[in-house]
Amino acid sequence: AQTVTQSQPEMSVQEAETVTLSCTYDTSENNYYLFWYKQPPSRQMILVIRQEAYKQQNATENRFSVNFQKAAKSFSLKISDSQLGDTAMYFCAFMSGGSNYKLTFGKGTLLTVNP
Amino acid sequence: DTGVSQNPRHKITKRGQNVTFRCDPISEHNRLYWYRQTLGQGPEFLTYFQNEAQLEKSRLLSDRFSAERPKGSFSTLEIQRTEQGDSAMYLCASSLGGGAGNTIYFGEGSWLTVV
């Protein structure tokens, strides 16, 4: 079974600065997908960024980028120019390429952006 | 696109009572998922439907839990003889077709408190 580990329960950053959230995972598969989801307080979870394991290039979405290290099974999220609206729980998630419906989530990291 | 809608948003029930949650997915999304999230944890997969067929159930889904999607549109999740351990947020999500290339959209969740 796959596992996803987020070792930072809480983090904080000053507005406009950069922060990196860590995620490691364990799998024996070669084909899979990785995701970062954002869950603001009392609001729905939304997809921030996704990475296909077969792609070597790191995914980027505006201020959000990932550092995908396949051999190390590491998938960190970098948020640049942090904004107050980035305050949320961030979940790292894994999806097997062979069963493309089930997300396995980490426990999450609570990110607080301070003014 | 009105998003994934869940009702009720909050439910307080006495132990032993039955509760039912409803999920309306995004229109035309043929895949529908249920997850459970407890405080301090990431969401855990419960079950998913492709159209009206329930294709997988997690072992977390005990016999007291039943989910249906009768016409391949909305879904219900019923919990019979509720226990305090059932207290959690129940998340519904939907996606168009399979494959990680299709984003999974989450609803805001239904909070259940069993007293």
Side-chain angles (χ1 to χ4, degrees):
Chain A
Q2 291 82 13
T3 59
V4 177
T5 302
Q6 294 179 249
S7 58
Q8 306 152 314
E10 294 186 35
M11 292 192 71
S12 63
V13 64
Q14 293 298 122
E15 197 174 5
E17 294 187 347
T18 295
V19 64
T20 299
L21 308 183
S22 301
C23 173
T24 58
Y25 59 94
D26 187 25
T27 184
S28 59
E29 299 182 22
N30 196 45
N31 179 28
Y32 53 87
Y33 305 86
L34 295 164
F35 306 83
W36 279 98
Y37 277 86
K38 169 185 177 182
Q39 189 176 41
S42 301
R43 294 183 62 188
Q44 69 212 88
M45 190 149 24
I46 59 173
L47 178 65
V48 174
I49 198 165
R50 73 164 63 86
Q51 174 80 41
E52 292 86 351
Y54 62 85
K55 289 187 177 179
Q56 293 186 336
Q57 185 173 7
N58 289 324
T60 299
E61 289 287 343
N62 300 315
R63 299 182 295 106
F64 299 88
S65 62
V66 299
N67 183 5
F68 173 49
Q69 301 290 327
K70 191 172 184 179
K73 297 180 181 174
S74 171
F75 183 61
S76 60
L77 174 70
K78 185 172 81 171
I79 306 174
S80 304
D81 186 25
S82 297
Q83 301 176 359
L84 296 179
D86 295 334
T87 293
M89 281 291 289
Y90 286 82
F91 292 98
C92 178
F94 172 100
M95 179 186 285
S96 167
S99 58
N100 51 19
Y101 56 84
K102 183 190 302 184
L103 289 165
T104 300
F105 287 87
K107 291 187 176 182
T109 296
L110 176 61
L111 175 67
T112 302
V113 180
N114 299 308
Chain B
D1 181 353
T2 57
V4 178
S5 176
Q6 293 189 244
N7 289 288
R9 294 290 317 283
H10 301 274
K11 178 73 176 178
I12 300 174
T13 190
K14 292 183 178 179
R15 188 175 54 187
Q17 297 294 306
N18 299 344
V19 297
T20 300
F21 298 110
R22 175 178 169 125
C23 172
D24 288 90
I26 293 172
S27 178
E28 297 182 353
H29 278 193
N30 58 348
R31 287 199 170 190
L32 186 146
Y33 315 80
W34 284 99
Y35 284 78
R36 181 170 69 188
Q37 185 178 14
T38 54
L39 286 176
Q41 301 292 323
E44 296 174 293
F45 171 82
L46 292 179
T47 189
Y48 97 104
F49 293 83
Q50 177 140 330
N51 299 313
E52 66 274 10
Q54 188 175 19
L55 297 185
E56 181 165 334
K57 295 193 299 183
S58 164
R59 56 185 171 80
L60 292 175
L61 216 62
S62 76
D63 292 344
R64 297 184 297 103
F65 288 71
S66 63
E68 296 181 343
R69 194 182 183 198
K71 297 182 179 180
S73 56
F74 73 92
S75 175
T76 58
L77 177 68
E78 181 184 19
I79 308 173
Q80 297 181 327
R81 305 181 303 282
T82 52
E83 301 173 355
Q84 288 188 323
D86 297 333
S87 295
M89 182 164 67
Y90 291 86
L91 289 166
C92 180
S94 70
S95 68
L96 181 62
N102 296 315
T103 299
I104 296 177
Y105 295 87
F106 284 82
E108 295 188 8
S110 292
W111 278 103
L112 173 65
T113 301
V114 182
V115 297

